[in-house]
Amino acid sequence: MAAQIAWVAMAILILPLVLNRIAEAASRGSASRRGTGVRVTKTHVITHYDRVPRACASPTVVARRSGGWSQATIWSTGVVPGAEAAVLIPAGMTVTYDVAQMVKLRCIEVQGRLRFGNRHALLYVSDLQVLPGGSLVIGTPRQPIAPCYRVEIVIRDTGLRTGTKKRPGRDPEQYLTGLAVWGELTIHGAPLERTFIRLAREVRAGEPQLKLRYAPRGWRVGDEIVIPDTRQIDPVHPSYQPAWETHVIEAIEGPLLTLTKLVAYHHPGARDADPGRTPTVLRDGTWLLPHVANLSRNVIIRSEHAAGTRGHVYFAGRAKIDVRYARWQNLGRTRAEPLDSSKYRKSGAAAHIGTNQDGRHAVHFRHLTGPRSKHNQGYQFVALGNVITGSAKWGLVLHDTHFGLVKDNVVFEAGGAGLVAASGNEFGNLIERNFVVGVRGGRSVSGRFKGKGGAKRDFGELGDAFWFAGPFNVVIDNVATSAVRTGFAVFPLNIKRKTRRSLRLPKFRGADLSRKEETRQVNMATRSLRAWLRNEVYGATTSAVELWHIGQRQTFPEAEVTILKDQRVWHVPGAGLRFYQSQEYELDGWVQRSDPNVVRASRHARGGGRGEGSLVTFGGARAHRVYLRDFDGQGGQYGIVNRGRGQAEWLVVEGSSSAPVVLRNYIGMAVRPWVQRPANGRRTTILRNVVFAPWTRMVKPKRKPAGKRHFRPSSDPLLYNRRGQGLLRAMKSQPRGRFKPMPPLSRSQYKPVFGSHYIAMQWQDHVRRENVFRHEQTYIENYQNRQGENYQVFYEEQAPGFVIADVGRQGEYDFPQCIGLTNAQCWRQYGGAIAGEVAPCVQHGDPDCHRARELASELGIQGLAFRLQTPVPRPPRPKPVLIVARPIDGQVLESDAVRVEYYAGGDKDDIDRVHLQLDNKAAVTGRAVDGHYTFARVKPGRHRLRIWGTRQDGTTVEGTARRVKFYVEGARTVVVK
């Protein structure tokens, strides 16, 4: 009996304590948050992918009622939180932060609502965590922080709590020290109409003013701006010093900016390669000049010390994120170096404490599902008008995050890459009008980038402005400049040792990717770029665009065609485009300019590397078919390098009689034999309606005395030294007795540079290869846009009397028995010849091919040329398609003027006209194949757009019909930018 009484007494004493703990845990969110994909325990926030410690698991100060932060009566302690306080804002409470004093807090956990009013505010804190159901508000779209106020959140430099392997701390994976949001975050600083604006004229060193193309509305005196480095210069060379520069605005008068100091460097724009060096002006009247970006915002989130323990920003789960016009400064701890993450044993014990933890980036959308969308409409997150500067590795990162808006952001001085889609399955994001400048580049497992990016696997550490691990986003009007490696890189091989990746994509907005019923399986190798329009790369960037392992139609016949529309590239020292393991491409409206004054020749072709200066390189492994339409490339060492490699089959460069392709380069096209055994065995090149123009020089360069050296007058006589400081008119040494000295030049002011060719059939006998007998054909249709003037071009080594030498690996020839025989003998006896065909000199009554050489010389061709009397072969064409770049499906528009942008691909000649229909209204008919149309005064609500193409007889072209659902928000008229 006594024992029972004791137990009852103990229960009476313990029960209140237990109930109190349960209530306290409930107030702190210890229960699972239903529908959020996030489970909150007493000590951690747990998602499908992360287990994050709660920094304020044991708060010292709790808000007991709503009110202002500076009001002592709202706090449990009766005083305003002081130094090293751990602050909890429970659910149901709204606290307005109204303090501008440097009080360094340990942490803040928001379960209720923390808002910043329209006034100056300064917050120092080590950890700021917004739990599911909580919200952090710093201005709203309807009431942004006024330009006269400044809100600043500083992540303190308090060190990491990782502990050691024997004694792990509470945060071995380094989640703490930063801003983490699983609830709602709304930031809206003072808006800018344009965050970066193109110059209206070139800028020279010593000038005190900049003239912009548009008046900078929203820019203010005292703002910091950046001007990129626009020189065509090798950014990897040890002597390279960046020439981008930051300035402060002293005065604004319309489009004219007066600076507080003089401009230090010359920032040239793009110019054509004609004698007068005419400025390059696009069809819409845009002169390709550099941009000026505004780096100032009145909402700032930054690390306390850039060289100390940096903070990081983490958005995850079903968080509702809308961040606009904020500056994220010196954030991110993950460095652009080989990763070294913490590891655990199966028992849960720490096996290793990492020193470079993965995923601690400046602005990181990590597995962000976003809120449930009832009607599958709108954006799952918004990142608009922000500045991300000084990030350790990546600037703005999308990781397994979908259906968002990433627009008008500026990324400056990133470590490894500027704007990143990290996992490859990022789907439906609109990445529009972002500006990335000054990517430094770091170090991968194989070392730093040394200018041969095609030979290195790129995991986003080496210096790309935009680095995407997948092709599923809409990429429009973005600008990359002054990046060490590449302007735009699509690299699906971000997971090592996996060459064909199958990914899960969301079926709808808010889909939980951990549930198979809400996702669909997609083979990335079968998909193409969803939409790619008017992106631009320029200045101190090694190469412009690299595309890897997408659209593999040879392996997967259902693969889609990849179309790059209206790409602009200028002052890029390396390749304009490099593609690898990707089979069917269309480049439509590509414009590229190199600076002839700094172009350097290269002894060997290395796939369009920085030393070669090719605009486009065709022939990456499995580069099956490539179509260049409306291409305009000028000023390069090589316009197009056509090398045989892998499954290269068709290269078609074509314009129309009214809009021909223009090539004005030192060598318009270089055609080279196979350097790798192909899978299909032949390659056909067709140049249709191409206008070649000579590359001229403005003054006669000084020529060094020849002495006793011997020269060759063919492909590479014009050299520049490594720094581009002077012109060395020198020739390369060659074995005696093979080549003649260079003839003297006349004293005319403008002369074609000696050794340049429209087409150079470059055999390159110094390169060893095993497949010299593979079939190659090169055709010119409508030479110089002269209708009906067609030619076939051969290597000089295809002459009947050429003796086949051993230039490959023994035992790997198709016809090893032909070594030592002439082409004619090999053809008669074994059916083989150099490049698979004997030049028809004998059939034309020219056994020694003299007339073929003379004709080729007259045409500006290095090789043998023959006039064709038969039609040029027609390449296979992919099916015609129409791509709607915007609006994208499910998009919510703020304007009642709906601008539709579209373009065609595939066999677009089959499409005569394009028709658009909004809802059930009368269709807008007779539109051009590529273009745009604006529907005015569209009513608020849900709308459906239908677009399709028709032939001349009015029938619909199969595969061109597209339907897009979008929504118009509000009835106000907004000017379309």
Side-chain angles (χ1 to χ4, degrees), residues 618-736:
F618 169 67
R622 295 189 178 88
H624 189 44
R625 300 170 186 169
V626 177
Y627 306 89
L628 275 68
R629 294 193 178 101
D630 197 15
F631 181 81
D632 185 359
Q634 301 186 34
Q637 172 67 22
Y638 297 90
I640 301 171
V641 173
N642 182 16
R643 58 174 186 162
R645 190 177 181 187
Q647 295 176 350
E649 183 177 341
W650 289 90
L651 172 61
V652 181
V653 184
E654 62 179 353
S656 63
S657 57
S658 58
V661 169
V662 178
L663 290 175
R664 187 194 298 267
N665 303 279
Y666 179 62
I667 293 178
M669 171 180 281
V671 182
R672 295 168 181 166
W674 298 92
V675 295
Q676 190 179 52
R677 183 171 292 275
N680 53 358
R682 68 180 301 136
R683 177 184 65 179
T684 305
T685 302
I686 298 176
L687 306 175
R688 181 180 297 119
N689 294 320
V690 177
V691 173
F692 296 93
W695 191 25
T696 57
R697 58 186 177 86
M698 299 187 65
V699 295
K700 179 180 177 181
K702 296 181 180 180
R703 182 176 60 164
K704 290 188 175 182
K708 296 183 179 181
R709 299 173 62 195
H710 292 259
F711 307 100
R712 63 175 183 179
S714 56
S715 59
D716 296 329
L718 186 65
L719 298 180
Y720 288 81
N721 62 1
R722 291 184 64 86
R723 300 184 184 181
Q725 295 175 347
L727 182 64
L728 304 178
R729 198 152 190 283
M731 309 299 292
K732 298 181 179 180
S733 300
Q734 297 292 338
R736 290 179 177 270

Side-chain angles (χ1 to χ4, degrees), residues 605-621:
R606 297 300 183 194
R610 61 188 175 95
E612 183 171 319
S614 66
L615 305 188
V616 174
T617 299
F618 169 67

Side-chain angles (χ1 to χ4, degrees), residues 69 95-99 101 114-117 119 121-124:
W69 185 284
V95 175
T96 302
Y97 193 87
D98 53 4
V99 177
Q101 299 176 357
L114 175 63
R115 62 180 297 270
F116 286 71
R119 56 180 296 167
L122 175 63
L123 171 62
Y124 272 76

Side-chain angles (χ1 to χ4, degrees), residues 158-173:
T158 54
L160 300 174
R161 284 152 276 184
T162 58
T164 63
K165 180 179 176 180
K166 293 183 178 180
R167 292 187 177 182
R170 49 180 309 223
D171 185 27
E173 293 182 286

Side-chain angles (χ1 to χ4, degrees), residues 441-747:
R443 179 172 58 87
S444 68
V445 176
S446 55
R448 291 187 176 275
F449 176 63
K450 298 180 181 179
K452 297 180 180 179
K456 288 182 179 292
R457 297 168 66 86
D458 181 11
F459 297 99
E461 310 102 332
L462 300 178
D464 302 303
F466 294 81
W467 186 82
F468 303 137
F472 303 112
N473 302 300
V474 177
V475 184
I476 303 177
D477 290 329
N478 298 282
V479 179
T481 177
S482 306
V484 167
R485 189 180 185 276
T486 306
F488 293 85
V490 180
F491 190 80
L493 300 183
N494 65 321
I495 295 181
K496 296 181 179 180
R497 296 181 295 277
K498 288 190 177 182
T499 58
R500 297 173 185 171
R501 296 182 56 196
S502 185
L503 301 174
R504 288 201 169 275
L505 304 183
K507 289 183 178 180
F508 49 85
R509 287 165 172 78
D512 187 347
L513 266 69
S514 64
R515 299 180 178 179
K516 291 185 177 180
E517 63 272 16
E518 297 185 11
T519 63
R520 55 194 174 97
Q521 198 83 6
V522 172
N523 183 356
M524 186 183 296
T526 66
R527 296 309 175 99
S528 66
L529 299 174
R530 186 174 181 188
W532 190 285
L533 179 64
R534 289 193 306 271
N535 298 295
E536 185 172 349
V537 183
Y538 62 85
T541 303
T542 300
S543 60
V545 181
E546 285 194 4
L547 304 175
W548 289 64
H549 288 265
I550 55 176
Q552 296 184 20
R553 302 192 72 171
Q554 187 77 2
T555 309
F556 305 99
E558 71 276 15
E560 301 169 346
V561 179
T562 295
I563 304 171
L564 286 81
K565 178 68 175 173
D566 293 343
Q567 179 76 38
R568 301 154 183 179
V569 180
W570 52 282
H571 289 186
V572 171
L577 174 65
R578 187 201 317 274
F579 37 84
Y580 189 81
Q581 295 274 0
S582 304
Q583 267 129 14
E584 197 136 8
Y585 280 90
E586 293 187 15
L587 278 62
D588 195 349
W590 186 291
V591 176
Q592 186 163 350
R593 294 291 183 273
S594 289
D595 188 346
N597 294 323
V598 297
V599 168
R600 298 181 291 113
S602 173
R603 182 176 175 85
H604 301 297
R606 297 300 183 194
R610 61 188 175 95
E612 183 171 319
S614 66
L615 305 188
V616 174
T617 299
F618 169 67
R622 295 189 178 88
H624 189 44
R625 300 170 186 169
V626 177
Y627 306 89
L628 275 68
R629 294 193 178 101
D630 197 15
F631 181 81
D632 185 359
Q634 301 186 34
Q637 172 67 22
Y638 297 90
I640 301 171
V641 173
N642 182 16
R643 58 174 186 162
R645 190 177 181 187
Q647 295 176 350
E649 183 177 341
W650 289 90
L651 172 61
V652 181
V653 184
E654 62 179 353
S656 63
S657 57
S658 58
V661 169
V662 178
L663 290 175
R664 187 194 298 267
N665 303 279
Y666 179 62
I667 293 178
M669 171 180 281
V671 182
R672 295 168 181 166
W674 298 92
V675 295
Q676 190 179 52
R677 183 171 292 275
N680 53 358
R682 68 180 301 136
R683 177 184 65 179
T684 305
T685 302
I686 298 176
L687 306 175
R688 181 180 297 119
N689 294 320
V690 177
V691 173
F692 296 93
W695 191 25
T696 57
R697 58 186 177 86
M698 299 187 65
V699 295
K700 179 180 177 181
K702 296 181 180 180
R703 182 176 60 164
K704 290 188 175 182
K708 296 183 179 181
R709 299 173 62 195
H710 292 259
F711 307 100
R712 63 175 183 179
S714 56
S715 59
D716 296 329
L718 186 65
L719 298 180
Y720 288 81
N721 62 1
R722 291 184 64 86
R723 300 184 184 181
Q725 295 175 347
L727 182 64
L728 304 178
R729 198 152 190 283
M731 309 299 292
K732 298 181 179 180
S733 300
Q734 297 292 338
R736 290 179 177 270
R738 284 188 66 182
F739 301 103
K740 299 178 180 179
M742 181 182 69
L745 297 173
S746 66
R747 297 181 178 274

Side-chain angles (χ1 to χ4, degrees), residues 752-931:
V753 175
F754 180 78
S756 64
H757 297 92
Y758 295 159
I759 301 175
M761 306 295 290
Q762 296 180 337
W763 181 251
Q764 293 184 307
D765 55 4
H766 56 271
V767 178
R768 296 182 64 83
R769 57 183 63 83
E770 68 272 17
N771 42 14
V772 295
F773 301 100
R774 293 292 178 172
H775 198 187
E776 302 179 37
Q777 292 178 315
T778 302
Y779 295 96
I780 304 174
E781 183 176 351
N782 303 329
Y783 175 76
Q784 297 293 55
N785 203 24
R786 298 196 286 264
Q787 302 302 306
E789 189 173 335
N790 306 330
Y791 299 92
Q792 185 175 3
V793 183
F794 296 82
Y795 298 103
E796 289 197 20
E797 289 76 8
Q798 290 182 266
F802 180 80
V803 178
I804 301 173
D806 181 9
V807 294
R809 302 185 183 96
Q810 291 295 334
E812 296 187 4
Y813 285 112
D814 293 328
F815 300 94
Q817 61 271 37
C818 287
I819 302 300
L821 302 180
T822 65
N823 278 315
Q825 292 170 341
C826 182
W827 186 261
R828 285 195 304 268
Q829 298 179 31
Y830 305 106
I834 292 293
E837 188 174 350
V838 181
C841 299
V842 176
Q843 293 86 327
H844 288 75
D846 183 22
D848 295 329
C849 299
H850 290 310
R851 290 201 299 271
R853 290 189 184 90
E854 292 176 357
L855 177 60
S857 179
E858 292 174 3
L859 299 175
I861 298 173
Q862 175 191 352
L864 307 175
F866 299 88
R867 184 75 180 262
L868 280 179
Q869 304 301 326
T870 58
V872 173
R874 294 294 172 184
R877 295 283 189 177
K879 295 180 180 180
V881 295
L882 271 178
I883 295 178
V884 180
R886 58 181 169 189
I888 63 175
D889 197 53
Q891 184 175 359
V892 175
L893 305 175
E894 297 180 351
S895 168
D896 62 359
V898 178
R899 180 183 174 93
V900 180
E901 294 194 61
Y902 62 91
Y903 55 91
D907 190 6
K908 60 190 297 184
D909 294 337
D910 195 26
I911 305 174
D912 180 60
R913 290 292 175 183
V914 172
H915 311 270
L916 301 92
Q917 184 180 27
L918 183 63
D919 299 326
N920 295 321
K921 299 179 181 178
V924 178
T925 62
R927 304 299 301 175
V929 175
D930 301 326

